[in-house]
Amino acid sequence: MVVSAEMCCFCFDVLYCHLYGYQPPRSPRFTNDPYPLFVTWKIGRDKRLRGCIGTFSAMNLHSGLREYTLTSALKDSRFPPMTRDELPRLFCSVSLLTNFEDVCDYMDWEVGIHGIRIEFINEKGSKRTATYLPEVAKEQGWDHIQTIDSLLRKGGYKAPITNEFRKTIKLTRYRSEKMTMSYTEYLAHRQHHHFQNGIGHPLPPYNHYS
């Protein structure tokens, strides 16, 4: 596994510094190898989605996580930009994407194992793409068809969805390594590693969020 708790910590650092106006955190110690990556934020006990954006182009992890931490927290068009008040209730997930395979049949992937990315031509003749990470279909209780149809709608396809149309989809399946951390775990982790890491910002005070 390449993905690590430190990566989630770093994302929290980046968001925390941005929201409080501190200098961005220094470069972390984990690998800076290039990977396609996604940063997902969820909020509250029921872990509602709060933002999820990433890239299928391999990016060096240090700059990629910096960029997509803020993009997913502030610029996901489905949600308003994140605020300081929400920090204590957040969960951060980092997904590193691997094992990309183009498949001929849109049904040739496994729920809960593969993420899928589809490319299709919409009713106006434009090429569109959309993706779900591996956990989405399983969490929603969807089968293959429900997942594909939901993904088409996510990608902006408005016309009725027929089986003939599904067969025109170009589908890529992939896997991901995923790590998730809550804000509470982040605070505990930072408290523990504060001195050896030399973080460039003061730790969030515990009592403020109790």
Side-chain angles (χ1 to χ4, degrees), residues 175-193:
R175 297 182 183 234
S176 83
E177 294 185 10
K178 182 184 175 189
M179 183 68 67
T180 301
M181 177 179 272
S182 68
Y183 185 78
T184 312
E185 289 166 329
Y186 160 67
L187 287 186
H189 197 276
R190 273 289 166 253
Q191 197 82 352
H192 184 65
H193 295 280

Side-chain angles (χ1 to χ4, degrees), residues 69-131:
T69 287
L70 296 180
T71 304
S72 58
L74 307 171
K75 296 180 180 173
D76 188 324
S77 60
R78 297 169 289 181
F79 306 100
M82 218 170 265
T83 63
R84 288 184 196 178
D85 300 347
E86 294 174 288
L87 266 172
R89 295 182 290 132
L90 290 178
F91 296 82
C92 176
S93 297
V94 171
S95 300
L96 306 184
L97 313 185
T98 60
N99 301 88
F100 285 83
E101 299 170 297
D102 290 332
V103 296
C104 300
D105 180 352
Y106 72 91
M107 299 284 279
D108 188 8
W109 55 278
E110 287 184 61
V111 173
I113 302 291
H114 295 111
I116 57 171
R117 179 177 190 256
I118 63 168
E119 191 177 289
F120 62 94
I121 306 296
N122 71 9
E123 59 275 27
K124 293 176 182 169
S126 304
K127 184 188 287 185
R128 301 299 297 266
T129 62
T131 192

